[in-house]
Amino acid sequence: MNIVVLIPVYNEELRLPPVLHEVCSAGYSVIVVDDGSTDRTHQIVSRFKVTLLHHSVNLGKGAALKSGCDYAFANGADAVVMMDGDGQHLVSDLDKFVKVLNSQKYDIIFGSRNMEYGVPLVRFLGNKFASVVIGLMFSIYISDLLCGYRAITKASYKQLRWKSSGYGVETEMVVRTAKKHLRMKEIPVQTVYYDAVKGVTILDALNILVDVMMWKVKL
Amino acid sequence: MIIVLQFTGFAFSLTMIYFALLHYRRHSLYALEFIAWVIMWAGFLVIISFPDMFRSFSSTFLVTRLFDVLVISGIGIFSIMASMSYIRSRNTEKRVEELVRALSIRNAKKHQKRKKEK
């Protein structure tokens, strides 16, 4: 199975190099989507043996993942593992995804952080609340709704192809998984929190909530 | 008090007509759009200048004050405009996203091709 690691990045000149170094050393094919970074991310990525997709303006995580998946699946990938470029996700967890993908029993694999790996309490509670709401609305329970460490197969991407261009992408993927009755699995992953400013804000969460209502009606 | 309000409304309408003309001359507005804006602001001018003409009109809609008619129609017009600009900005956003994504994929393909040729 041809598995590609997809890393969407935005202004990650400091934390991206060690991540890329580690993933490349582990022997994975890597696609980096630079989502309109204004720092030196673009130049830094060019030094590594990776495929670089460059958005000339910042579109959001969902759009970056879509570009990466479109490119990967059009160029021979059978599956894509998505991970963050800020070092939040550990490269050592990649093997877990690859192992489950190679079993070919699942269409989508969700990484799941848990409390013992140092998720801040507020995020943990917000995440759990969202999981319960989505569970009640769409009959699917994912213990960590917003974890970006995920893997999807080419066949499932055709059914999952999301419309969200921002942080709603993770939730939309879960909703579409439920609607299309895809085979899914959760695996525990470790997370290291570096940045309290980046990531999903309360405003993003409200936007996602509005989108969830729309998906309930439209999807 | 009424005269001051009338004068303010009058000046505001004239300013808006001037801006419509300015944007039309700068080719930011089509002729039809320009005419529509001028008709709207000219109508507003007439209502402000001769409010008594419209008193019977407002009572037809069971609204006692002419001012209320203006407020209600203003809210109606701005709601329509807000929803129209929302739809337009969403469409523009989608087009920009599609364009940027397509360009990034095309450039990556070109880059990979060049790498292989080397």
Side-chain angles (χ1 to χ4, degrees):
Chain A
M1 201 177 211
N2 182 14
I3 298 167
V4 172
V5 178
L6 171 60
I7 308 176
V9 289
Y10 176 66
N11 288 348
E12 289 296 350
E13 63 179 2
L14 294 176
R15 298 201 180 105
L16 183 63
V19 176
L20 283 183
H21 181 74
E22 218 178 321
V23 182
C24 291
S25 306
Y28 291 103
S29 306
V30 183
I31 294 175
V32 176
V33 184
D34 172 20
D35 191 23
S37 295
T38 49
D39 62 1
R40 293 174 54 249
T41 302
H42 188 267
Q43 290 96 303
I44 286 167
V45 177
S46 310
R47 291 187 210 144
F48 290 87
K49 279 189 177 176
V50 298
T51 304
L52 173 64
L53 269 73
H54 176 68
H55 285 173
S56 41
V57 289
N58 180 245
L59 295 176
K61 189 179 181 183
L65 287 175
K66 199 150 75 171
S67 296
C69 284
D70 281 351
Y71 183 86
F73 291 127
N75 287 279
D78 298 311
V80 163
V81 182
M82 305 159 190
M83 69 183 290
D84 290 354
D86 57 0
Q88 199 183 109
H89 300 141
L90 300 189
V91 177
S92 53
D93 283 328
L94 264 175
D95 292 340
K96 293 182 192 170
F97 285 95
V98 172
K99 201 176 164 188
V100 179
L101 280 172
N102 280 328
S103 73
Q104 301 194 351
K105 285 182 188 165
Y106 301 98
D107 302 307
I108 180 161
I109 302 143
F110 297 99
S112 169
R113 304 163 287 188
N114 69 45
M115 281 303 281
E116 63 185 276
Y117 294 136
V119 178
L121 185 67
V122 176
R123 285 198 184 206
F124 176 79
L125 292 175
N127 212 340
K128 280 289 164 213
F129 175 72
S131 295
V132 171
V133 170
I134 294 291
L136 290 172
M137 287 176 81
F138 298 96
S139 311
I140 184 171
Y141 184 76
I142 301 293
S143 63
D144 189 356
L145 203 64
L146 300 176
C147 180
Y149 214 168
R150 292 175 177 193
I152 55 170
T153 60
K154 187 176 182 175
S156 66
Y157 179 62
K158 281 176 192 159
Q159 299 184 67
L160 278 173
R161 207 169 176 274
W162 47 89
K163 288 191 175 151
S164 306
S165 54
Y167 281 116
V169 60
E170 276 105 6
T171 314
E172 190 181 343
M173 261 191 234
V174 174
V175 170
R176 285 183 184 268
T177 301
K179 290 273 180 183
K180 302 286 178 184
H181 305 289
L182 297 174
R183 298 168 302 166
M184 62 97 176
K185 185 180 173 68
E186 278 190 272
I187 57 174
V189 294
Q190 294 188 47
T191 307
V192 185
Y193 280 97
Y194 291 113
D195 205 329
V197 181
K198 277 193 169 183
V200 181
T201 61
I202 290 179
L203 272 180
D204 293 323
L206 285 175
N207 271 331
I208 295 169
L209 191 69
V210 173
D211 285 340
V212 167
M213 309 285 185
M214 299 277 279
W215 296 328
K216 182 68 187 166
V217 181
K218 276 167 72 181
L219 285 181
Chain B
M1 183 68 185
I2 301 275
I3 297 294
V4 175
L5 271 176
Q6 275 180 307
F7 180 76
T8 313
F10 202 83
F12 183 68
S13 308
L14 284 177
T15 315
M16 294 315 287
I17 289 174
Y18 164 72
F19 275 118
L21 182 68
L22 191 75
H23 285 290
Y24 174 64
R25 282 188 171 171
R26 285 179 181 172
H27 304 290
S28 315
L29 288 176
Y30 293 118
L32 213 64
E33 286 173 320
F34 168 66
I35 291 166
W37 280 113
V38 170
I39 288 172
M40 200 186 94
W41 290 117
F44 190 67
L45 263 178
V46 173
I47 294 172
I48 285 174
S49 310
F50 311 103
D52 288 334
M53 277 171 63
F54 295 88
R55 285 208 197 282
S56 56
F57 174 77
S58 61
S59 58
T60 316
F61 291 98
L62 301 174
V63 181
T64 42
R65 294 185 307 174
L66 182 67
F67 180 73
D68 296 340
V69 177
L70 279 179
V71 171
I72 292 165
S73 28
I75 291 172
I77 289 167
F78 285 111
S79 304
I80 293 166
M81 281 167 58
S83 67
M84 276 170 70
S85 48
Y86 172 75
I87 292 165
R88 281 198 177 185
S89 70
R90 279 297 291 257
N91 284 340
T92 314
E93 210 174 88
K94 270 186 198 169
R95 282 178 201 154
V96 170
E97 186 191 317
E98 277 165 24
L99 180 74
V100 170
R101 290 185 49 251
L103 276 174
S104 73
I105 291 173
R106 199 183 70 182
N107 290 340
K109 277 181 182 167
K110 266 187 194 173
H111 191 70
Q112 288 297 102
K113 204 178 165 185
R114 251 182 269 146
K115 259 186 182 177
K116 278 179 188 172
E117 282 169 3
K118 279 181 186 174

